Amino acid sequence: QVQLVESGGGLVQPGGSLRLSCVASGISFSVYFMAWYRQAPGKQRELVAQITPGDSTNYAYSVKGRFTISRDNAKNTVYLQMNSLNAEDTAVYYCQANWGSWLYWGQGTQVTVSS
């Protein structure tokens, strides 16, 4: 019964902000590497940001300085704060949990940046 549920997507104006959340259940959350991926129509799914169990982070170059990934182990939740959004950020955003050979995906949440 592993489940990753994303929320927080929606329509936002260029230059605006959104915060995505992903709540995990059925896993020992604190030991998992958590990540956000995104996929735009006709494009490959790409890594956006990752956070380790020790709170180290890494980001795609295209979002560095604009996006921040964080986690709250007490809430089994990983967040993606997205600022200064532009049209190129439009995509379905997916939450991923991985630990060793274990890998899980959320169902995704749509982010649309448009005026």
Side-chain angles (χ1 to χ4, degrees):
Q1 284 192 295
V2 175
Q3 193 169 217
L4 304 179
V5 180
E6 301 99 330
S7 63
L11 177 65
V12 65
Q13 294 181 327
S17 298
L18 284 174
R19 189 180 73 162
L20 306 183
S21 300
C22 171
V23 180
S25 59
I27 63 171
S28 185
F29 181 82
S30 63
V31 308
Y32 272 72
F33 290 70
M34 302 298 299
W36 289 96
Y37 285 72
R38 67 186 181 187
Q39 187 167 28
K43 304 294 185 181
Q44 295 280 107
R45 188 172 297 188
E46 64 174 348
L47 176 67
V48 177
Q50 183 187 57
I51 185 165
T52 73
D55 283 350
S56 296
T57 59
N58 67 87
Y59 299 90
Y61 183 82
S62 61
V63 308
K64 191 171 180 64
R66 299 189 297 122
F67 291 11
T68 303
I69 189 170
S70 61
R71 67 194 297 161
D72 186 339
N73 290 338
K75 296 183 181 296
N76 287 356
T77 302
V78 62
Y79 304 95
L80 185 68
Q81 178 66 47
M82 304 186 293
N83 299 326
S84 301
L85 286 161
N86 59 64
E88 298 302 311
D89 298 314
T90 295
V92 177
Y93 284 71
Y94 297 91
C95 178
Q96 183 203 66
N98 68 89
W99 182 57
S101 62
W102 302 96
L103 179 67
Y104 305 100
W105 291 93
Q107 64 184 352
T109 185
Q110 175 71 231
V111 172
T112 303
V113 185
S114 176
S115 60

